[in-house]
Amino acid sequence: MNNQILKTMLWVFLIIFNGCEVIPEVEESNTTSKTENNAIIVPEGFDFSTNQEIEVNITSNSNSALFEVYAYSDEKYYSGTETFENQEGQIVTEDIYKSELIEKLIFSGVPKNGKLSQTISLPKYYDQLYIRENENLRYNATVVDIVNQEVNFNQSGASNSVISTSNVTNVVFDYLFCVNGASELFQVDPLTGSVTYLSDMPMGSWTCAVDQGNKALYSIGKSSPYPLMKYSIENDSWEIIANIGKGGPRLEYNYRDGLLYFSSGDKLYTYDPNTGANINTWDIIGLHNTSGGDLAFAEDGTLFLCTFSGLYRLDLDANNTYQSFRISADNLPFQPTSMTFDSNQELWLANNASSSDLIIMDTQTGGWQYNYGISADNDTAIGRTINDLSTFRVTTEIEDDPDTDGDGIVDRNDSYPEDANKAFEMFTPSKYGWGTVAFEDLWPTNGDYDFNDLAVNYRVIAVLNADGEAVQIDFMINTKSNRASFTNGFGIEMKSILPSQIESVSGNILIHDYIIQNVNGTEANQDNAVIIIFDDSNSMLQEENIVSVKFTSPISTSVLGAAPFNPFMIIDKTREKEVHLAYKEKTSLGVTTFNVEGTNNDEDGNYISNNGFPWAINIVHDFKVPKESNAVNKAYNHFNSWAISGGNDYKDWYKDNPGYRNAENIQN
């Protein structure tokens, strides 16, 4: 096709469609990026997909470690502003950026015969995974690259992954639990300096203290109303005990009296960790600077306090006042904001730099040395701020580790400890995330490309057995947009599964009479397993529903394939009229040839228009759909660049990054 003919076609198209906010359609081409007013040219064969299927293979010589796999990005999201008293004692208002890492859990599992393999679905903009190993509360974590749609991770050589107990029955491992104002709880391994992310906090904090006996961590929020927060190290869960009503930079737990010791300025307080009640208050005499710092008890019960003016020992005098005796001051390399004793009674101190440094200090002489961080000059940059730290000790002992259901997975690693058929879970897109399938319902003629005729939010949970095979699929479904004048349905085909491999389907809603089901709940007369989620989009509108599919026998995730499988819309109760994602195949009951009024723009029935545009898109994100008659490229500024590049540029075009969206064109 010569350039003059192409230009003529483009101008004819613009004359017809420029008054509507639609994505114009042009001849398929493999030319480089080109835009002309509203016209865009997309590469031939581009399927508009936003997800990638990844094979994850983990090798480990541990048969008891739980591996958790997260989608990884070091990008943080803006969560708003917060007013608080910083560690210098100043009231400031700052922008807060938080990590989404812990929200992006994809699956967990325990290796069987040294191997753990799963097939997962990820947004295409991810190129790394975060793999965290939990061996009875001893954590290790590694960021691993995705190469050629695979991740191969070998943990066999990890120094702390396996502990032989043939001749040692009691080994203590120290971990430095750290918190910061960005609401991050993470640990530093004092043997290696490696950092492992543990949990998102309810509020950022300058303080933390570990109750070793009850495996709990306490922290006080950095801003009003200054909540006392408790973290269960075993259960990975937070609770708010009480609002303290005051902030400060120093906190320690004293196992001798079971109280929290909290300090701000020249005051020391004790609090009941169970109720948050203030028990006692003391004055501290002799501090040269009352900003910043921390508290720490030595094994002999001596209480140490540090501030920006150095390290002090505190002694309670006859007048019930704490006298401070400075041990080290000018020779410290930084202003300390946190400190803790490890099992060897070595005192660790950290500063609150954007990438904190860690030193070890002698409490007798005041001598110190850098151990980890940028200043240590040993390639151990922490990469995070440490506003406080505390020591958590893990003791390895020979003891009975319960496995209530007898499936070979101990209870602490088992998501279903009382069900021998279930052990783990795999999530698409993630444990807390949502994906969206959005449709245009005028197929096979052109629509207005606002993709709001039907938009279905989904989270798919594959329930796995002890061998890592799927025994059940739970579809969490919420219809978020139903702007069509038609009564449309929604279904999912699992192309690799036969209807006979399904034991039962529950939770779907069928209120009309055009869907015929088999006894097991799958759709009748289908070659592959097809689940009709609903036949009327109003039945699940703005309401979360769970549709459960149980298998007759376990199925590997590599055979099952990646969710959401082959989703499709049924147009206006006409069962054979299906709309699928681009280049996906119809089900056995679908028909691709129709007599239509106007132009049939899908003559070859591959659900991509004659000019290269889809009627359905799957966004691995909680997609905010455009308002009525606002084409997707008018709502999302980088959609055109993404499509023109064949999906190589702006792979995250649908996110809420600065400059990505036109809010006035998007539904709330």
Side-chain angles (χ1 to χ4, degrees):
M1 181 180 293
N2 63 41
N3 289 337
Q4 184 60 44
I5 295 175
L6 178 59
K7 289 181 179 178
T8 301
M9 292 182 64
L10 286 170
W11 282 111
V12 169
F13 181 86
L14 290 171
I15 291 171
I16 296 173
F17 289 101
N18 204 36
C20 303
E21 294 193 358
V22 300
I23 296 176
E25 306 210 342
V26 296
E27 288 294 329
E28 292 177 354
S29 170
N30 284 321
T31 58
T32 56
S33 300
K34 175 180 177 182
T35 61
E36 189 170 353
N37 291 340
N38 280 344
I40 65 173
I41 299 174
V42 299
E44 184 175 359
F46 178 53
D47 65 0
F48 291 82
S49 64
T50 64
N51 65 306
Q52 56 183 330
E53 192 169 303
I54 305 297
E55 181 72 25
V56 181
N57 300 297
I58 296 173
T59 302
S60 174
N61 54 10
S62 171
N63 58 6
S64 60
L66 177 70
F67 285 87
E68 299 166 305
V69 176
Y70 300 82
Y72 179 77
S73 170
D74 56 11
E75 176 184 313
K76 295 186 177 182
Y77 69 95
Y78 173 70
S79 65
T81 61
E82 189 172 357
T83 299
F84 53 88
E85 181 178 333
N86 64 19
Q87 290 186 284
E88 288 75 23
Q90 304 164 328
I91 301 298
V92 297
T93 299
E94 292 183 354
D95 293 337
I96 302 298
Y97 292 86
K98 295 184 178 181
S99 170
E100 291 184 304
L101 175 59
I102 295 301
E103 298 178 5
K104 300 299 183 182
L105 176 65
I106 306 300
F107 75 89
S108 60
V110 172
K112 201 80 169 182
N113 299 320
K115 300 290 184 181
L116 174 61
S117 298
Q118 298 295 356
T119 300
I120 64 174
S121 178
L122 282 181
K124 285 186 175 179
Y125 61 80
Y126 281 110
D127 55 16
Q128 293 179 313
L129 294 179
Y130 188 80
I131 300 179
R132 187 172 76 175
E133 179 192 19
N134 178 359
E135 176 106 28
N136 194 20
L137 301 181
R138 288 182 287 114
Y139 288 94
N140 288 289
T142 308
V143 176
V144 185
D145 292 334
I146 299 171
V147 180
N148 297 325
Q149 310 304 112
E150 283 189 346
V151 168
N152 295 296
F153 177 66
N154 189 330
Q155 186 68 339
S156 298
S159 60
N160 278 355
S161 62
V162 176
I163 304 300
S164 172
T165 58
S166 59
N167 55 4
V168 179
T169 61
N170 194 337
V171 179
V172 176
F173 292 91
D174 283 344
Y175 294 98
L176 305 178
F177 275 38
C178 309
V179 303
N180 59 29
S183 305
E184 298 175 325
L185 171 63
F186 56 98
Q187 74 170 32
V188 175
D189 187 336
L191 295 180
T192 64
S194 62
V195 177
T196 300
Y197 201 95
L198 298 178
S199 179
D200 298 329
M201 305 175 67
M203 179 186 287
S205 177
W206 312 138
T207 61
C208 69
V210 167
D211 173 0
Q212 184 69 43
N214 293 304
K215 294 184 173 60
L217 177 141
Y218 293 94
S219 183
I220 297 174
K222 69 179 183 180
S223 61
S224 181
Y226 305 104
L228 174 60
M229 305 173 288
K230 180 182 179 181
Y231 175 71
S232 170
I233 298 173
E234 287 187 307
N235 299 327
D236 187 25
S237 61
W238 288 92
E239 62 176 307
I240 304 298
I241 302 299
N243 292 322
I244 297 299
K246 61 170 65 71
R250 312 170 200 132
L251 187 68
E252 174 69 310
Y253 178 81
N254 187 355
Y255 71 87
R256 299 161 189 83
D257 58 17
L259 297 177
L260 289 168
Y261 282 66
F262 176 59
S263 179
S264 179
D266 59 0
K267 298 289 185 182
L268 179 66
Y269 311 88
T270 51
Y271 286 90
D272 183 339
N274 299 305
T275 65
N278 179 218
I279 305 301
N280 213 333
T281 302
W282 296 271
D283 292 323
I284 304 173
I285 305 299
L287 298 176
H288 299 79
N289 186 322
T290 60
S291 297
D294 198 10
L295 296 169
F297 280 102
E299 188 59 36
D300 64 3
T302 302
L303 180 58
F304 290 87
L305 180 147
C306 67
T307 73
F308 287 167
S309 56
L311 177 67
Y312 299 81
R313 187 187 76 249
L314 298 185
D315 292 340
L316 191 62
D317 65 18
N319 296 319
N320 204 34
T321 299
Y322 275 99
Q323 298 289 337
S324 62
F325 299 90
R326 186 155 61 172
I327 297 170
S328 177
D330 295 341
N331 63 332
L332 281 178
F334 50 58
Q335 292 181 320
T337 57
S338 53
M339 66 179 182
T340 185
F341 284 97
D342 65 18
S343 295
N344 298 318
Q345 288 303 287
E346 292 184 309
L347 185 65
W348 292 77
L349 294 96
N351 63 357
N352 63 349
S354 59
S355 181
S356 292
D357 288 319
L358 280 163
I359 64 173
I360 288 182
M361 187 174 181
D362 185 333
T363 60
Q364 300 300 316
T365 67
W368 59 269
Q369 68 177 30
Y370 278 110
N371 262 37
Y372 303 119
I374 294 173
S375 299
D377 197 26
N378 56 6
D379 295 324
T380 57
I382 300 299
R384 287 184 167 88
T385 298
I386 298 174
N387 289 120
D388 199 7
L389 78 164
S390 188
T391 302
F392 177 63
R393 301 173 180 87
V394 178
T395 302
T396 301
E397 298 175 333
I398 298 176
E399 59 181 18
D400 291 334
D401 214 344
D403 175 14
T404 301
D405 56 19
D407 62 356
I409 306 299
V410 297
D411 289 357
R412 57 182 163 80
N413 292 336
D414 198 331
S415 297
Y416 301 87
E418 296 182 354
D419 189 334
N421 296 314
K422 302 175 181 179
F424 310 113
E425 293 175 326
M426 184 168 70
F427 305 92
T428 305
S430 64
K431 184 174 182 178
Y432 300 106
W434 291 94
T436 306
V437 188
F439 299 90
E440 286 286 302
D441 67 358
L442 292 182
W443 176 85
T445 61
N446 280 344
D448 56 8
Y449 285 99
D450 55 20
F451 288 105
N452 66 20
D453 295 339
L454 176 64
V456 178
N457 264 17
Y458 66 84
R459 180 185 301 145
V460 183
I461 305 171
V463 181
L464 312 176
N465 63 13
D467 294 323
E469 297 175 318
V471 297
Q472 179 176 320
I473 298 285
D474 289 339
F475 296 94
M476 297 183 66
I477 299 293
N478 178 11
T479 301
K480 68 183 306 179
S481 181
N482 179 27
R483 294 292 179 133
S485 58
F486 296 151
T487 300
N488 297 321
F490 177 69
I492 292 173
E493 179 187 33
M494 291 185 279
K495 295 187 70 66
S496 60
I497 306 301
L498 299 173
S500 60
Q501 292 178 272
I502 305 296
E503 178 183 303
S504 65
V505 177
S506 61
N508 54 336
I509 300 177
L510 304 178
I511 59 178
H512 300 291
D513 59 1
Y514 68 95
I515 300 298
I516 302 173
Q517 295 187 103
N518 296 313
V519 174
N520 63 0
T522 59
E523 188 175 27
N525 303 312
Q526 294 279 13
D527 293 337
N528 304 318
V530 174
I531 314 300
I532 304 301
I533 303 296
F534 55 76
D535 60 7
D536 188 328
S537 52
N538 286 317
S539 63
M540 293 189 181
L541 186 61
Q542 306 298 339
E543 202 172 283
E544 290 184 18
N545 295 264
I546 299 179
V547 178
S548 293
V549 178
K550 295 182 180 181
F551 300 125
T552 55
S553 299
I555 300 170
S556 71
T557 59
S558 60
V559 171
L560 186 63
F565 310 110
N566 184 17
F568 62 95
M569 175 175 64
I570 301 171
I571 298 178
D572 203 25
K573 297 186 288 187
T574 304
R575 177 59 194 87
E576 64 272 17
K577 201 169 186 179
E578 302 175 353
V579 179
H580 290 257
L581 300 172
Y583 299 109
K584 294 292 186 179
E585 296 181 355
K586 66 178 182 62
T587 75
S588 303
L589 297 181
V591 176
T592 56
T593 302
F594 284 90
N595 293 322
V596 298
E597 294 182 7
T599 302
N600 183 341
N601 279 302
D602 188 15
E603 295 173 346
D604 51 8
N606 60 4
Y607 300 102
I608 197 81
S609 76
N610 297 336
N611 300 310
F613 288 89
W615 282 268
I617 53 175
N618 172 40
I619 308 297
V620 195
H621 193 78
D622 186 0
F623 182 55
K624 306 302 181 185
V625 297
K627 291 180 179 178
E628 185 62 33
S629 299
N630 284 271
V632 66
N633 65 338
K634 297 299 182 182
Y636 291 89
N637 294 324
H638 300 303
F639 180 89
N640 282 2
S641 298
W642 172 69
I644 289 169
S645 71
N648 292 317
D649 297 339
Y650 291 102
K651 295 178 182 180
D652 61 349
W653 61 266
Y654 44 82
K655 295 179 71 175
D656 190 20
N657 291 339
Y660 274 43
R661 297 179 179 179
N662 289 318
E664 67 273 13
N665 295 334
I666 295 177
Q667 294 184 32
N668 292 328

